């Protein structure tokens, strides 16, 4: 299913829905780490933000209970270049997709995260929306 990322400056990116089928709003920021997506999702410092991961492949080691930073996820949405559908780690108890759905986090992949990062660097963080294609007001 398609999803859309709309930025306050008027940019619109279309990608694939990852996680919860819904709509999410928040301040768009980026994170440059190569690992640690699970910790970022549950880190209270990202509360209410839509986080863009700059590393291109996210989800490859799944999710496990030991690496959770807080009792629940705090971010509003998750943006990535390419979601790794088949996690491969002996500690993994579920996929990132399952975790996002279970915690009602809307995510999107197959978008140009380098472009998003450049926009944020040049213009600063901004409000944004991630929504699945079933929201007809997004054209």
């Amino acid at each position: 299913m398609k999803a859309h990322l709309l930025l306050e400056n008027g940019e619109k990116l279309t990608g694939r829905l990852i996680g919860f089928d819904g709509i999410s709003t928040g301040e768009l920021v980026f994170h440059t780490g190569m690992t640690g997506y699970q910790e970022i999702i549950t880190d209270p410092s990202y509360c209410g933000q839509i986080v863009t991961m700059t590393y291109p492949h996210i989800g490859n080691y799944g999710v496990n209970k030991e690496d959770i930073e807080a009792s629940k996820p705090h971010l509003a949405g998750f943006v990535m270049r390419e979601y790794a559908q088949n996690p491969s780690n002996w500690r993994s108890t579920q996929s990132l997709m399952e975790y996002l759905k279970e915690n009602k986090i809307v995510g999107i992949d197959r978008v140009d995260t380098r472009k998003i990062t450049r926009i944020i660097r040049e213009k600063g963080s901004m409000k944004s929306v991630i929504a699945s294609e079933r929201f007809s007001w997004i054209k």
Side-chain angles (χ1 to χ4, degrees):
M1 176 182 290
K2 285 185 183 178
H4 305 285
L5 174 64
L6 300 122
L7 282 61
E8 183 178 15
N9 71 349
E11 289 278 341
K12 176 186 168 193
L13 293 95
T14 300
R16 176 177 63 170
L17 178 69
I18 299 295
F20 185 69
D21 181 4
I23 187 166
S24 182
T25 61
E27 176 189 31
L28 185 64
V29 299
F30 65 88
H31 180 81
T32 59
M34 292 175 61
T35 62
Y37 58 82
Q38 180 179 337
E39 293 85 348
I40 291 160
I41 292 169
T42 57
D43 185 338
S45 70
Y46 289 107
C47 185
Q49 295 179 322
I50 295 175
V51 177
T52 302
M53 299 297 290
T54 61
Y55 188 73
H57 299 113
I58 303 296
N60 53 338
Y61 54 84
V63 175
N64 67 72
K65 297 188 187 308
E66 291 80 27
D67 294 333
I68 292 175
E69 295 286 318
S71 61
K72 64 175 185 152
H74 290 277
L75 55 72
F78 205 50
V79 180
M80 56 205 118
R81 174 68 192 121
E82 192 68 36
Y83 168 66
Q85 295 187 29
N86 300 311
S88 178
N89 186 301
W90 66 274
R91 296 174 64 216
S92 177
T93 56
Q94 67 184 140
S95 71
L96 175 60
M97 175 80 81
E98 293 166 333
Y99 187 77
L100 294 175
K101 284 181 180 179
E102 179 181 293
N103 290 282
K104 296 182 169 60
I105 298 171
V106 181
I108 187 172
D109 83 336
R110 297 186 179 168
V111 293
D112 188 346
T113 55
R114 293 176 301 171
K115 177 179 181 176
I116 295 167
T117 302
R118 283 192 305 270
I119 291 169
I120 295 170
R121 281 187 177 156
E122 291 171 10
K123 302 188 186 305
S125 60
M126 60 184 69
K127 294 180 233 171
S128 61
V129 175
I130 301 176
S132 68
E133 69 180 343
R134 68 184 178 92
F135 292 91
S136 61
W137 53 269
I138 299 173
K139 300 283 184 215

